[in-house]
Structures are given as structure tokens and as C-alpha cells.
Amino acid sequence: MSGVVDRPSPNFDGRDGAPVSILMIHYTGMLSGVAALERLCDPAAKVSAHYLIEEDGTVFRLVDEAMRAWHAGLGAWRGFERVNHRSIGIELVNPGHEWGYRPFPRPQMVALAALGRDIVARHAIAPFDVIGHSDSAPSRKTDPGEFFDWRWLAEQGVGAWVGGADPVADGRLGFGESGLLVSRLQADLAAFGYALRVDGKFGPETRDVVTAFQRHWRQSSVDGIADAETRGRLARLLRSLTETARA
Ligand SMILES: [Zn+2]
């Protein structure tokens, strides 16, 4: 990658031999990129990422990809709980939901696409393992959020996008419901990669995972209700994931 600015962070350690299999996208959730860079390089903060991309497209490299940056925190994806060990983390400068969430400017997305293409090629990261922070920590995190254009990024060769939805006969499932259909929903979300217990009860954890799923895959309405479109999209995605794995 040309045009990358080195801004080394002391906040990293080793991967313990774990292979890189996940690319995780974040937003900084702070008022400015300068403030975010300072925090990600502050030894007292104990947080970091491999890269930070400013809204004007400037790319900062904070941690060598061979090392473990500290960006994911508690969470899991595809059965892996040590997400930092297995991932590369990219922070996008954006105030986030707390400070005035706004769309990601085109120069920032173009820089992300170029960097992301390079990363997924070098580490052979599978398209469905390019995820947002909220995908691995649905009850704690909302980044990069519903303004993040996953479809465009996939069209640039980074990650997956699957449009449309398979028809689902059974309608909507929401908070407080229970039974076999809820178990099926939970099993499908878990099969897709989310960490979710299959207990047949649509409680807070299921609602949070459905919300995270919508933030990534059905951004027009992020309400935590597994309506027919949400469930149909999940079914279509699972089919695509299975086909990708078989190919
Ligand atoms: Zn994050």
C-alpha cells in the first residue's frame, strides 16, 4: 500500500500463532480523528487498531498486521472468542451514534476499499468474515452502523453482499416470543456466524443479534424484530454462505 502514514501504537502483543481470518470494520466514535489517534496510541487506554482511516482518505498504520491489536474486546464470530487474535481491525473516523453519526465520505470508503482488497488477498479472508464490530459484540457495539455501505464495499471486492430474500411463510418474530420458530431463527443466526444460544426464547440477546444483523444486512429498518424480510434475507445469506464454503 502506498500513501500509508506510519503512526506506531504501543498497544499490541502477539497473536499466539493464530491465523488471521477476520477483517473487522469499526468507527472511532470520537469527535475528531486527531483525538482518536491519540487515544489509540495512548498506553493508558490499552486500545488500538491496525489502521485508522480519516474522512479525507488518509490511512494511518498503527500496528503491524503480524501483531495483535486491541480493538474487538469481548465478543465472538464463527465460534472464535479470541477475536483480536484472529482479526485485522480498521477504524474509520466518524463521530458515531453518540456524537453525531454521519455517512462515510467517498474518499474514506475508496481508501478503505484499496486497503481492504490488499488485506483480504494477502490473508485469504473469506468474504463472509469481513464484519463489523457490532457483528461480534451485538449487545455492546453499534459500529460501523447502518450508514456503512457494505454493498458498495463488496462491489469493490471486499466482503460479501447478497441482495434479496428467500420467501418465509411464518411472518415476524419479536421480543418475548418463544418456541420452535425462535429456536430455528437462533440456530440460523448462529450458523451464519453470530454468537447466540439456541434456547427458543426471544430475549434481549436474540433481539441484540437481530439488530446487529439488520445493521449489516437490512439497513432500511433496524428495529430488532425478525420480520419476514429479515428472516428471508438471513435464509438467502445462509444459502450463499453454504455455496461459498462448498465452492
Ligand atoms: Zn469498534
Side-chain angles (χ1 to χ4, degrees):
M1 283 289 295
S2 60
V4 175
V5 181
D6 277 307
R7 174 76 192 264
S9 166
N11 299 335
F12 66 88
D13 52 14
R15 292 189 182 274
D16 290 342
V20 171
S21 66
I22 296 167
L23 175 58
M24 182 175 287
I25 313 294
H26 302 258
Y27 65 49
T28 52
M30 295 181 72
L31 286 172
S32 76
V34 173
L37 266 181
E38 273 175 20
R39 178 168 155 77
L40 294 167
C41 294
D42 176 2
K46 294 189 165 62
V47 292
S48 62
H50 293 92
Y51 299 94
L52 175 143
I53 305 179
E54 266 284 8
E55 289 185 300
D56 68 2
T58 306
V59 178
F60 294 90
R61 175 169 33 218
L62 285 70
V63 173
D64 190 292
E65 289 178 19
M67 307 308 283
R68 183 177 80 126
W70 305 339
H71 56 95
L74 283 180
W77 182 252
R78 210 167 298 294
F80 299 114
E81 292 188 342
R82 302 193 309 166
V83 178
N84 280 336
H85 281 81
R86 303 189 64 103
S87 63
I88 288 175
I90 301 178
E91 290 276 359
L92 303 177
V93 172
N94 188 297
H97 292 86
E98 199 174 345
W99 302 104
Y101 187 45
R102 59 193 183 216
F104 299 86
R106 184 48 62 106
Q108 189 179 34
M109 291 299 288
V110 168
L112 171 64
L115 176 62
R117 267 196 303 272
D118 192 42
I119 290 170
V120 297
R122 279 187 290 102
H123 298 279
I125 295 173
F128 285 108
D129 291 331
V130 178
I131 61 172
H133 198 183
S134 55
D135 290 314
S136 88
S139 297
R140 293 193 306 117
K141 294 292 174 182
T142 55
D143 60 317
E146 60 280 5
F147 290 159
F148 186 80
D149 198 340
W150 292 101
R151 179 184 190 149
W152 182 87
L153 191 65
E155 287 164 0
Q156 311 308 306
V158 184
W161 183 257
V162 176
D166 288 354
V168 178
D170 316 296
R172 72 210 292 277
L173 295 168
F175 191 83
E177 292 182 54
S178 60
L180 204 58
L181 287 178
V182 176
S183 292
R184 170 79 66 81
L185 169 69
Q186 292 170 327
D188 284 353
L189 287 164
F192 188 61
Y194 291 93
L196 184 60
R197 213 155 24 102
V198 180
D199 63 3
K201 299 190 182 87
F202 200 121
E205 286 174 13
T206 302
R207 182 192 55 203
D208 292 347
V209 170
V210 170
T211 304
F213 176 84
Q214 290 171 331
R215 244 186 246 294
H216 189 141
W217 295 103
R218 209 286 300 271
Q219 297 174 324
S220 59
S221 176
V222 180
D223 58 9
I225 297 167
D227 54 31
E229 187 188 33
T230 300
R231 295 174 57 210
R233 182 66 58 93
L234 176 59
R236 172 74 60 90
L237 280 162
L238 270 177
R239 210 149 49 79
S240 179
L241 176 67
T242 310
E243 284 161 10
T244 309
R246 217 181 279 138

